[in-house]
């Protein structure tokens, strides 16, 4: 019989002890958004590669315009995408933003601070200082700089740097294959019209989307609460790096999943955690693969995904940050919580006019109230020692993406 004996922190540590980084593949930068880089990327060269103009104007030696009103002849104009000749002594060159600074020049005066004079001469209305309006080579990235560290996720901003250094093939973690087995005799596909006593499967789509967002690839199957059917579904499933099973984890007559997994040889590591919601959550290892059993209640399944499955996937992907970052917020409205359980309360957090992060629970918190999850932007954590948190109290929150 299930006795929730272990704490949430112990349970999660046990789970993370049984997952390891998955193998890698090479992907093109254009297909790399959201992928986890597994080899640090070091720049071979400088970005920008050459000293260049930060403004449209005139390149010169600052020493050639020591007083306001200095007049210099224009030796040439720079051209885009081409190398630039050296700047003759005592002359200036017309230059466009981003073009290479002519060798010898050390400053650029913006066009608005100059006046044209007859016969290709320019009067300088300001006294430039060396380096003014010049973007030096390597200002953004120097040769040898780490552009992207292993374990980071490719974002559009990262793509900018990777493209600048010409790193267009990336070694990334393979997306873990996640088998989603959705169990329950009462369930029909969300596209079907339920008959009396049936309900639509909402965990299948919800968990599939969560897996996708967490970097995995989900394959969903459904099975009724029947020993033979559950066995068949598990035995015939394609190989998976992680198995997520929804429903049938509790101690009712229909809760057969762990029994079937036991028959198949799964080593059960925990069943029952001192947490709410999600007390019946279970974890085991079958054929060296992690198996996470989620309670069928849609809210409990979602919460357990966020606090167990998402970190497990992050660890498989080799991410440098596996556990969700926690923030501290001031509780705006109290709620009931019994000692001895780690509570995950769906919350809505915001920054108030005094720049204080505040949070309040999203209305009714029953395990069947899926709208409490829809309206939440965070989970409020309250560990086993806390009881009935009161308004004004500081609490930890985990952001939901
Ligand atoms: P169980 O964990 O199987 O005891 O299910 C707990 C509650 O969640 C029951 O009311 C189930 O009908 C419901 N439930 C289980 N699986 C799903 C699912 N995939 N979609 C929607 N509700 C579910
Ligand atoms: Mg059930």
């Amino acid at each position: 019989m299930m006795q929730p004996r272990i704490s949430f922190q112990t349970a999660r540590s046990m789970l993370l002890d049984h997952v390891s980084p998955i193998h890698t593949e090479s992907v093109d930068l254009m297909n790399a958004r959201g992928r986890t880089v597994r080899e640090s990327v070091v720049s071979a060269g400088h970005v920008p590669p050459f000293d260049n103009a930060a403004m449209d104007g005139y390149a010169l030696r600052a020493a050639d315009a020591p007083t306001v009103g200095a007049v210099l002849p224009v030796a040439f104009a720079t051209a885009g995408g081409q190398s630039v000749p050296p700047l003759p002594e005592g002359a200036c060159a017309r230059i466009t933003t981003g073009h290479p600074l002519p060798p010898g020049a050390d400053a650029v005066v913006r066009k608005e601070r100059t006046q044209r004079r007859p016969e290709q001469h320019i009067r300088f209305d300001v006294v430039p200082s060396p380096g003014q309006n010049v973007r030096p080579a390597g200002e953004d990235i120097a040769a040898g700089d780490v552009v992207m560290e292993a374990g980071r996720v490719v974002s559009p901003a990262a793509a900018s740097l990777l493209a600048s250094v010409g790193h267009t093939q990336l070694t990334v973690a393979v997306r873990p294959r996640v088998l989603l087995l959705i169990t329950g005799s009462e369930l029909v596909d969300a596209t079907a019209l339920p008959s009396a006593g049936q309900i639509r499967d909402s965990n299948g789509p919800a968990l599939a989307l969560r897996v996708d967002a967490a970097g995995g690839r989900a394959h969903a199957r459904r099975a009724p609460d029947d020993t033979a059917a559950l066995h068949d579904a598990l035995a015939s499933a394609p190989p998976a790096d992680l198995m997520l099973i929804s429903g049938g984890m509790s101690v009712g007559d229909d809760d057969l999943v762990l029994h079937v997994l036991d028959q198949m040889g799964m080593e059960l590591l925990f069943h029952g955690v001192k947490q709410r919601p999600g007390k019946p959550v279970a974890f085991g290892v079958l054929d060296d693969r992690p198996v996470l059993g989620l309670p069928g209640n849609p809210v409990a399944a979602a919460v357990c995904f966020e606090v167990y499955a998402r970190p497990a996937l992050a660890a498989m992907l080799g991410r440098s940050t596996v556990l969700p970052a926690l923030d501290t917020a001031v509780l705006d409205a109290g709620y009931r919580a019994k000692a001895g359980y780690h509570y995950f309360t769906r919350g809505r957090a915001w920054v108030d006019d005094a720049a204080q992060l505040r949070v309040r629970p999203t209305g009714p918190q029953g395990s069947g109230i899926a709208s409490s999850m829809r309206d939440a932007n965070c989970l409020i954590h309250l560990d086993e020692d806390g009881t009935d948190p009161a308004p004004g109290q500081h609490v930890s929150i985990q952001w939901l993406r």
Side-chain angles (χ1 to χ4, degrees), residues 4-374:
R5 270 183 251 103
I6 63 168
S7 71
F8 162 63
Q9 297 294 351
T10 305
R12 185 162 65 187
S13 301
M14 284 174 79
L15 177 147
L16 291 175
D17 281 347
H18 288 86
V19 295
S20 42
I22 199 167
H23 56 284
T24 61
E25 63 183 343
S26 177
V27 294
D28 191 84
L29 178 58
M30 290 302 282
N31 296 314
R33 192 187 62 81
R35 304 298 297 271
T36 307
V37 164
R38 289 281 289 277
E39 280 174 8
S40 294
V41 176
V42 176
S43 177
H46 286 332
V47 178
F50 42 80
D51 295 351
N52 67 95
M55 294 283 174
D56 295 335
Y58 294 88
L60 73 169
R61 288 178 184 79
D64 286 343
T67 54
V68 171
V71 174
L72 299 177
V74 180
F76 55 83
T78 62
Q82 289 176 26
S83 63
V84 174
L87 186 69
E89 299 279 340
C92 65
R94 196 143 57 89
I95 195 163
T96 299
T97 303
H99 288 185
L101 201 69
D106 60 9
V108 172
V109 173
R110 57 197 291 192
K111 199 173 176 188
E112 297 89 326
R113 299 279 185 273
T114 65
Q115 294 171 39
R116 302 186 87 157
R117 286 289 180 262
E119 305 201 343
Q120 296 290 324
H121 280 67
I122 292 294
R123 177 192 193 270
F124 290 89
D125 296 343
V126 289
V127 176
S129 46
Q132 194 171 344
N133 295 327
V134 174
R135 300 192 290 220
E139 171 187 67
D140 193 4
I141 302 164
D145 278 0
V146 176
V147 174
M148 188 151 192
E149 277 165 14
R152 302 292 294 268
V153 176
V154 180
S155 64
S160 169
L161 301 181
L162 293 165
S164 302
V165 304
H167 204 93
T168 55
Q169 282 299 121
L170 301 173
T171 301
V172 300
V174 161
R175 295 178 68 188
R177 294 162 303 180
V178 179
L179 174 70
L180 277 181
L181 179 62
I182 307 297
T183 75
S185 299
E186 74 279 30
L187 303 174
V188 296
D189 196 84
T191 57
L193 191 65
S195 315
Q198 296 184 324
I199 60 168
R200 294 193 181 93
D201 162 32
S202 60
N203 283 345
L207 291 170
L209 266 59
R210 286 188 193 277
V211 167
D212 188 66
R217 267 187 307 140
H219 300 277
R221 300 199 149 192
R222 225 178 33 241
D225 300 308
D226 172 83
T227 307
L230 287 167
H231 186 278
D232 283 356
L234 287 165
S236 67
D241 303 302
L242 170 68
M243 211 187 283
L244 289 181
I245 306 179
S246 148
M249 291 296 146
S250 207
V251 293
D253 293 343
D254 290 341
D255 296 328
L256 305 167
V257 171
L258 292 175
H259 170 67
V260 171
L261 285 165
D262 181 57
Q263 283 182 337
M264 294 178 77
M266 184 183 79
E267 181 196 355
L268 183 67
L269 288 145
F270 63 77
H271 179 209
V273 174
K274 293 186 271 185
Q275 68 171 71
R276 286 190 172 174
K279 187 173 62 147
V281 64
F283 177 69
V285 176
L286 175 64
D287 298 333
D288 291 330
R289 310 284 177 153
V291 181
L292 181 64
L294 307 170
N297 269 308
V299 172
V303 166
C304 287
F305 184 92
E306 292 302 321
V307 301
Y308 294 107
R310 191 185 282 271
L313 285 167
M316 286 182 171
L317 290 164
R319 294 215 174 143
S320 35
T321 306
V322 167
L323 295 182
L326 299 179
D327 265 316
T328 300
V330 172
L331 197 59
D332 201 62
Y335 56 93
R336 304 303 301 266
K338 274 201 333 197
Y341 288 89
H342 189 115
Y343 277 76
F344 305 102
T345 302
R346 279 71 72 206
R348 184 110 207 131
W350 76 99
V351 177
D352 71 12
D353 294 343
Q356 173 66 57
L357 184 61
R358 310 186 78 88
V359 66
R360 60 161 52 234
T362 56
Q365 296 279 320
S367 293
I369 312 292
S371 51
S372 70
M373 197 74 195
R374 175 201 60 199

